[in-house]
Amino acid sequence: MIKLTMQHFQLILKQLSILCLLLIVVSCQQQNSQDRDHLVFRYNEHANITSLDPAFAKDQRNIWAVHQLFNGLVEMDTDLNVIPAIASSWKISEDALTYVFTLREDVQFHKHHLFGKDSTRTVTAFDFEYSFGRILDDKLASSGRWIFKSVESFKALDATTFKIQLKQPFPAFLSLLTMKYCSVVPKEIVEHYGNNFRSNPIGTGPFQFKIWEENTKLVLRRNPTYFEKDAQGKNLPYLEAIAITFLPDKQSEFLQFAQGNIDFLNSLDPSYQDEILNAAGKLRETYAEKVRMISGPYLNTEYLGIYIGDSTNVSSHHLLRKAMNYSFDREKMITYLRSGIGSPANHGFIPKGLPGFDNIKGFDYQPELAKKLVKQYSKETGNAAPEVSITTNGQYLNFCEYIQRALEKIGIKASVNVIPASTLRELRSKGELPIFRASWIADYPDAENYLSLFYSKNFTPNGPNYTRFKNAQFDEWYETALRETDATKRANIYTKMDSLLVSEAPIIPLYYDQVVRFTRKNVQGLGINALNLLELKRVRKMK
């Protein structure tokens, strides 16, 4: 039998008291965390963000993060209209060559000790002069240099007036200025950090940088001095923070969403498509109570590109290009592989929603015609058993296998190669892939952005013409459209160019995409737009 002395008893009481105190502290911390959860918006990226510098805001994952941190002269609203941002107003000359912007005087950079006494300062037109000049600096090698190809000069006339002079009229120029490349950055901070500005960003946006552990997490905090207010005069943003994780596996991401650990999904992946949606493309009952599905038009055309810069490439032959386009049923493909999300690309390359999309007749499902074209090819070339190679990343394997089966039915043997997305982009730019899976998401809402992929002066690596398509008539129309200021006439030119692309078939259009977002039902204010830009400054999370 153990005999407890008073000293032992007091010691046990002390230890129990400490344990109880620890339990209370942990419980309070957990409760505090739960109480503040509605102030943090959480989402996941499948690949690492490569830079938080707007000069390198090329890919969607970079653009989304940069958009929270920086502002430009102008921005897009949800209907893709150009509206004021740091510029409160602007005037355009009658010849459409001169743009003069008047800046707000209440926009400040995020706080940083290098700014001196007040740890911040007001944005001026001279900051825009520096920021635009930086994009054109050869040493920086920004992926946004092309934005200024139509610009003759830009200059700060004084602290609140910024002037841009164009070489020739460019109707989509204001839309172009909404791109994140055109964000304002502070010279003293950029020059202090040099290349490390990518991980030490200072901007003017609704959120400011807090911490970034690459490939693990990125945290942004609310900017308390942000200049925008809502309709009731309340300061934006509503959220206190944004937390981004980097889980590469989409099934794992879906599980995190299902468990409530992240607040939204931005895509519909085959790994969980049938789990969350029924055959009609609606939410299954098990998710309908807690999940909201938002969908709408997306300026994104999914396609297979055909490299026609090498005549020895079998798939580059005109007859086979057409045969492949007629070989598969796009309607069934969308129904079975996308649960009806998106529209079959039975028209041209320009997606629905843009001037120039005019329901032109593209390629529909005509297997017998496809077989005839293959036979004609064999007769002309002597190649009785044509073989083609399609390269894709894992996400689109099911689409490529669907087309592979269709091609074999018309007499074309097809192989499908799966490689990492980064390798795919690299080899595509080098012209080393006969047929490659690709998509084109609009940088700005004008059909010129799509048609530029086929302008001969845009051959890779200096531009986005990955197919090496070259046609004198197309080039002439493209250059004419750039000079045309009448919107109706310009749209008509775009339609003719799109029809020519159908005739020449340098690509195999698959479908016109839709924005599909899944959110927890406590998330409010997260809308959609046809550019699929993530806008979080007006988002709230209910308790």
Side-chain angles (χ1 to χ4, degrees):
M1 182 175 178
I2 300 173
K3 186 176 181 180
L4 292 176
T5 66
M6 181 59 69
Q7 187 177 5
H8 285 135
F9 186 69
Q10 289 175 338
L11 180 61
I12 291 172
L13 281 178
K14 183 177 181 181
Q15 289 175 336
L16 285 173
S17 298
I18 293 172
L19 179 60
C20 289
L21 181 61
L22 285 173
L23 289 173
I24 291 170
V25 169
V26 169
S27 177
C28 289
Q29 287 177 338
Q30 289 177 339
Q31 184 63 45
N32 185 55
S33 175
Q34 292 171 357
D35 289 343
R36 295 183 62 80
D37 180 68
H38 71 288
L39 298 174
V40 182
F41 186 86
R42 297 179 171 88
Y43 75 92
N44 182 66
E45 288 288 1
H46 308 116
N48 189 36
I49 291 170
T50 59
S51 176
L52 296 174
D53 184 340
F56 301 98
K58 179 180 181 181
D59 301 316
Q60 187 180 76
R61 60 185 184 274
N62 286 24
I63 291 171
W64 278 12
V66 166
H67 183 59
Q68 317 311 323
L69 296 166
F70 294 90
N71 297 99
L73 291 165
V74 289
E75 63 185 18
M76 291 278 185
D77 66 11
T78 54
D79 297 319
L80 304 187
N81 299 308
V82 178
I83 60 174
I86 295 179
S88 58
S89 63
W90 56 87
K91 294 180 180 179
I92 306 173
S93 63
E94 289 188 10
D95 60 7
L97 291 176
T98 305
Y99 290 68
V100 179
F101 297 87
T102 300
L103 274 57
R104 300 174 62 124
E105 298 181 46
D106 59 349
V107 181
Q108 295 183 322
F109 286 112
H110 301 152
K111 289 196 172 185
H112 195 285
H113 67 87
L114 286 175
F115 285 127
K117 181 182 177 181
D118 296 327
S119 298
T120 185
R121 67 171 176 79
T122 302
V123 174
T124 72
F126 296 100
D127 291 310
F128 277 99
E129 184 176 316
Y130 167 76
S131 300
F132 285 15
R134 177 173 178 260
I135 298 296
L136 293 172
D137 188 344
D138 291 335
K139 294 179 180 178
L140 184 67
S142 167
S143 50
R145 284 180 60 98
W146 60 272
I147 285 179
F148 297 100
K149 63 184 179 183
S150 63
V151 175
E152 179 70 38
S153 63
F154 46 80
K155 183 177 179 61
L157 302 183
D158 55 44
T160 60
T161 312
F162 188 63
K163 177 182 176 182
I164 301 176
Q165 190 74 28
L166 302 187
K167 298 174 184 176
Q168 62 186 37
F170 182 40
F173 184 65
L174 274 179
S175 296
L176 204 62
L177 290 178
T178 66
M179 294 185 67
K180 302 319 297 179
Y181 292 123
C182 299
S183 301
V184 68
V185 296
K187 180 179 180 180
E188 56 266 64
I189 307 297
V190 172
E191 293 188 347
H192 172 76
Y193 284 110
N195 292 336
N196 288 327
F197 184 70
R198 65 176 288 278
S199 55
N200 293 276
I202 294 294
T204 59
F207 296 90
Q208 56 192 12
F209 177 74
K210 178 65 176 178
I211 188 172
W212 183 19
E213 296 177 15
E214 297 197 37
N215 284 311
T216 303
K217 67 178 178 181
L218 171 63
V219 178
L220 310 179
R221 295 296 302 270
R222 181 178 184 272
N223 174 11
T225 62
Y226 188 59
F227 61 93
E228 284 192 272
K229 302 179 186 296
D230 65 13
Q232 288 71 44
K234 183 178 176 62
N235 290 335
L236 296 175
Y238 303 128
L239 295 165
E240 281 296 327
I242 300 170
I244 306 168
T245 53
F246 297 92
L247 296 172
D249 180 59
K250 295 197 174 185
Q251 183 64 40
S252 299
E253 176 191 48
F254 176 72
L255 290 174
Q256 289 294 305
F257 175 73
Q259 293 168 8
N261 296 326
I262 58 177
D263 295 306
F264 100 123
L265 294 173
N266 175 54
S267 61
L268 185 65
D269 191 74
S271 65
Y272 57 78
Q273 174 179 314
D274 295 334
E275 166 71 17
I276 195 169
L277 296 182
N278 59 29
K282 304 296 182 182
L283 282 171
R284 293 190 182 275
E285 288 186 16
T286 50
Y287 292 97
E289 183 180 342
K290 293 184 178 180
V291 174
R292 181 184 294 111
M293 176 179 168
I294 315 170
S295 63
Y298 187 11
L299 298 183
N300 174 31
T301 299
E302 298 283 343
Y303 68 101
L304 295 181
I306 305 170
Y307 185 74
I308 57 180
D310 180 3
S311 59
T312 63
N313 174 18
V314 171
S315 54
S316 71
H317 196 284
H318 186 241
L319 291 172
L320 287 192
R321 300 202 306 263
K322 287 200 164 185
M324 289 187 286
N325 266 291
Y326 284 121
S327 70
F328 64 102
D329 191 330
R330 292 169 173 82
E331 296 273 358
K332 284 186 177 179
M333 182 182 72
I334 292 297
T335 299
Y336 296 118
L337 301 185
R338 291 273 297 174
S339 296
I341 304 297
S343 304
N346 290 327
H347 304 286
F349 188 62
I350 300 173
K352 290 182 178 180
L354 283 182
F357 179 90
D358 195 27
N359 286 314
I360 62 172
K361 182 172 175 54
F363 293 100
D364 51 9
Y365 181 46
Q366 298 190 50
E368 295 307 314
L369 174 56
K371 290 177 184 177
K372 288 181 181 179
L373 290 169
V374 174
K375 288 180 180 178
Q376 186 179 344
Y377 162 82
S378 297
K379 184 177 180 181
E380 289 185 9
T381 64
N383 182 0
E387 297 184 16
V388 301
S389 174
I390 304 171
T391 303
T392 182
N393 60 3
Q395 185 179 353
Y396 294 88
L397 177 60
N398 55 347
F399 290 95
C400 293
E401 288 180 337
Y402 177 87
I403 295 169
Q404 178 188 37
R405 292 189 290 271
L407 292 179
E408 289 176 351
K409 290 178 182 178
I410 66 167
I412 299 176
K413 185 177 180 180
S415 61
V416 177
N417 305 310
V418 181
I419 60 177
S422 57
T423 307
L424 176 61
R425 289 191 293 269
E426 180 183 352
L427 296 179
R428 181 183 65 190
S429 294
K430 292 179 178 178
E432 296 181 12
L433 302 176
I435 303 177
F436 52 88
R437 206 291 313 169
S439 60
W440 191 257
I441 303 171
D443 294 311
Y444 48 92
D446 192 280
E448 179 273 336
N449 191 219
Y450 284 82
L451 299 170
S452 67
L453 270 70
F454 307 98
Y455 183 48
S456 65
K457 293 182 181 179
N458 282 343
F459 279 180
T460 56
N462 300 317
N465 189 340
Y466 304 113
T467 62
R468 290 296 180 101
F469 176 77
K470 185 175 183 179
N471 181 284
Q473 179 63 79
F474 184 93
D475 286 353
E476 181 183 333
W477 282 338
Y478 180 82
E479 291 168 1
T480 300
L482 289 180
R483 296 189 297 269
E484 181 56 65
T485 56
D486 184 280
T488 302
K489 291 180 180 178
R490 191 168 69 256
N492 290 336
I493 298 172
Y494 289 159
T495 301
K496 290 195 296 183
M497 295 167 71
D498 210 17
S499 297
L500 191 151
L501 289 176
V502 171
S503 175
E504 294 295 321
I507 59 167
I508 303 171
L510 302 179
Y511 62 91
Y512 310 119
D513 207 356
Q514 272 187 293
V515 175
V516 180
R517 291 179 173 178
F518 301 97
T519 71
R520 314 296 301 180
K521 283 198 172 177
N522 68 327
V523 174
Q524 297 183 356
L526 181 69
I528 56 172
N529 55 78
L531 290 176
N532 198 22
L533 188 63
L534 185 62
E535 189 65 77
L536 295 178
K537 62 189 175 186
R538 298 178 189 276
V539 167
R540 300 178 191 264
K541 282 177 65 179
M542 300 295 103
K543 288 186 179 181

